[in-house]
Amino acid sequence: MKLFNTLTQSLEDFVPLENTVRVYVCGVTPYDTTHLGHAFTYVSFDALMRYLLASGYGVKYVQNVTDVDDDVIRKARELGMAWDELGRRETERFLNDMDALNVRRPDVYAKATEQISPIIEIVSSLIERGYAYESQGCVYFSVKHDPEFGQMAQAIGLHDYDAMLKIANERGNFPNDTRKRDALDFVLWQAQAPGEPAWESPWGLGRPGWHIECSAMAIRYLGQQIDIHGGGGDLAFPHHTCEIAQSEHYTGKAPFSRVWMHTGMVYQDGEKMSKSLGNLTLVSNLLKDYSADAIRVTLLNHHYRYPWECFAPDLAFANGMVNTFQQVRELVGTQNEGTDSLLHGRFVAAMDNDLNTPEALILLQQAAESVIANRDLNTGAEVLRLTGVLGLRV
Ligand SMILES: [Zn+2]
């Protein structure tokens, strides 16, 4: 199988360290409900997990939930509820949406608030090794002390310090934080602000920064080097760039992940779909009008790596495809054990080519039409088996 590695900007033969593929995908910050952009990321990775399993690999899949951070605390204040109650409620809603879309649950679904001591251990070690420093109860990673910092940023076209700082500032960096030695330094441990949740640490009461939680969880549950690290495209920098720096300097081992995979942004009305812009297509709303299979097909009709814009006709088209698969189901029933090695081979070739799900779906649709026309039950059984690999429930 070939997968596109963001870090090398090339298609690489995928060879896991062991037969059980170790995968970490950055999860959600639970302060708002799941939109189509989230669903695109998690359904795409779900298709990858299912395909790896169908190909005979084992999979250990870890995802985090950032259950304490600035957004959770701010939103909870706005709503007049406790931050942990908001986190629990939104995590539950996210999991319900994912269950509805037939996304397999990760093997470990880990909360940031349950990683405090592994995080403290990594932060302490980074200070000892000279990559991080304490300042007024906060701890920062010092980018100037890391000559390798920014390899991932380079790969996606951020060629120098100024280019990195500009994007970091757009994505949550506070360049004017006077406790930092350098505007691009990022927080590993944040000192408690009045009224905020906090945990004991060698630097006083505080809470973890965002980037460090993913390093801590990936290392804790998967080991010092993993096979696949994924997430939304906007995480490549700064989030994953920071993860690489922390993880590799803590473990002394590189690469932290053999492959880095990023999903394209989903646009609506010409804008990136995001909470802050308010132009969200919520999964829970879509599920009122469309089946989970139709939503999955809509998502998988777009290659995971590219941005796309969601239009209503996409969903209608997907509905038509699902109807075709359902007609095959009616024809074939549930008992047929038939096979079609030619169709199987073409499906595998599409999926092995950087998880080309749009091509795989077209193959299956064409095969399904021919099955209906010719009452070809063997190929029909194969079509249904392969729609199952894509997580459809027809
Ligand atoms: Zn992450």
Side-chain angles (χ1 to χ4, degrees):
M1 183 181 204
K2 286 188 187 299
L3 291 174
F4 186 85
N5 187 352
T6 309
L7 195 57
T8 59
Q9 292 288 296
S10 60
L11 273 179
E12 296 176 356
D13 279 320
F14 176 65
V15 186
L17 283 161
E18 292 165 14
N19 194 52
T20 295
V21 182
R22 288 177 283 179
V23 186
Y24 186 94
V25 175
C26 292
V28 291
T29 302
Y31 69 100
D32 224 325
T33 29
T34 326
H35 62 67
L36 206 58
H38 297 127
F40 184 50
T41 294
Y42 301 116
V43 167
S44 296
F45 281 105
D46 183 56
L48 176 61
M49 297 309 112
R50 288 172 182 275
Y51 182 62
L52 290 171
L53 288 167
S55 306
Y57 290 110
V59 164
K60 185 163 186 195
Y61 180 24
V62 178
Q63 208 183 104
N64 65 307
V65 52
T66 307
D67 60 343
V68 64
D69 92 331
D70 292 344
D71 289 323
V72 175
I73 295 167
R74 176 185 49 77
K75 182 76 186 226
R77 277 195 189 131
E78 281 170 24
L79 295 173
M81 63 195 289
W83 64 274
D84 49 349
E85 191 190 329
L86 175 67
R88 272 195 298 276
R89 185 184 81 183
E90 293 304 320
T91 301
E92 198 58 35
R93 284 182 177 170
F94 170 73
L95 288 173
N96 287 341
D97 288 343
M98 292 298 106
D99 288 350
L101 293 180
N102 201 27
V103 171
R104 291 174 71 255
R105 289 208 176 182
D107 300 289
V108 180
Y109 191 60
K111 293 177 176 160
T113 51
E114 291 167 357
Q115 318 298 325
I116 302 300
S117 54
I119 287 170
I120 288 173
E121 138 88 22
I122 297 175
V123 175
S124 303
S125 161
L126 289 171
I127 294 174
E128 275 166 33
R129 293 167 204 214
Y131 292 106
Y133 58 91
E134 189 270 342
S135 176
Q136 298 176 45
C138 293
V139 180
Y140 298 94
F141 188 93
S142 173
V143 297
K144 290 268 162 74
H145 282 84
D146 178 9
E148 286 141 44
F149 186 82
Q151 208 189 337
M152 174 76 88
Q154 288 274 346
I156 59 163
L158 304 174
H159 293 301
D160 56 27
Y161 178 92
D162 290 342
M164 283 195 279
L165 185 61
K166 180 172 178 287
I167 301 298
N169 292 348
E170 288 169 10
R171 296 179 180 168
N173 181 48
F174 297 109
N176 302 322
D177 179 348
T178 54
R179 296 166 294 193
K180 298 205 286 194
R181 293 178 191 163
D182 185 291
L184 196 55
D185 289 351
F186 58 91
V187 69
L188 298 170
W189 186 263
Q190 188 147 349
Q192 184 185 29
E196 287 190 356
W199 289 261
E200 297 276 0
S201 83
W203 319 286
L205 283 169
R207 59 186 163 93
W210 169 39
H211 309 309
I212 194 71
E213 73 177 79
C214 287
S215 291
M217 290 182 213
I219 292 168
R220 175 174 178 184
Y221 298 111
L222 294 172
Q224 298 191 336
Q225 291 183 289
I226 68 176
D227 295 303
I228 298 173
H229 195 312
D234 53 352
L235 298 184
F237 182 83
H239 184 54
H240 291 158
T241 307
C242 299
E243 268 192 55
I244 290 171
Q246 299 158 164
S247 306
E248 293 185 358
H249 288 302
Y250 169 64
T251 65
K253 290 184 183 147
F256 171 42
S257 178
R258 294 161 84 85
V259 184
W260 288 85
M261 292 175 69
H262 293 97
T263 51
M265 296 288 106
V266 180
Y267 291 81
Q268 189 171 308
D269 308 320
E271 304 253 35
K272 179 187 141 186
M273 201 177 283
S274 76
K275 291 170 185 174
S276 47
L277 290 170
N279 59 342
L280 302 180
T281 300
L282 296 182
V283 169
S284 51
N285 283 341
L286 276 182
L287 281 164
K288 291 174 191 160
D289 296 323
Y290 297 94
S291 68
D293 277 353
I295 298 171
R296 274 187 86 100
V297 167
T298 302
L299 299 167
L300 295 174
N301 258 329
H302 298 272
H303 188 263
Y304 79 88
R305 202 146 62 78
Y306 300 102
W308 56 285
E309 185 157 0
C310 185
F311 296 108
D314 288 348
L315 284 147
F317 177 80
N319 235 349
M321 212 185 250
V322 171
N323 283 339
T324 312
F325 297 143
Q326 278 164 346
Q327 288 174 49
V328 173
R329 170 63 71 200
E330 281 160 28
L331 195 63
V332 171
T334 50
Q335 303 299 318
N336 196 302
E337 299 287 318
T339 55
D340 180 335
S341 56
L342 185 64
L343 175 62
H344 186 265
R346 293 172 73 202
F347 178 85
V348 166
M351 295 294 277
D352 276 354
N353 180 22
D354 196 24
L355 204 72
N356 194 336
T357 54
E359 194 183 319
L361 278 168
I362 288 170
L363 284 172
L364 294 180
Q365 186 191 28
Q366 288 169 347
E369 282 165 357
S370 147
V371 165
I372 294 161
N374 304 315
R375 302 186 63 83
D376 174 354
L377 300 190
N378 284 341
T379 301
E382 189 76 50
V383 166
L384 296 171
R385 197 155 37 241
L386 297 176
T387 54
V389 172
L390 294 177
L392 304 186
R393 288 179 284 201
V394 283

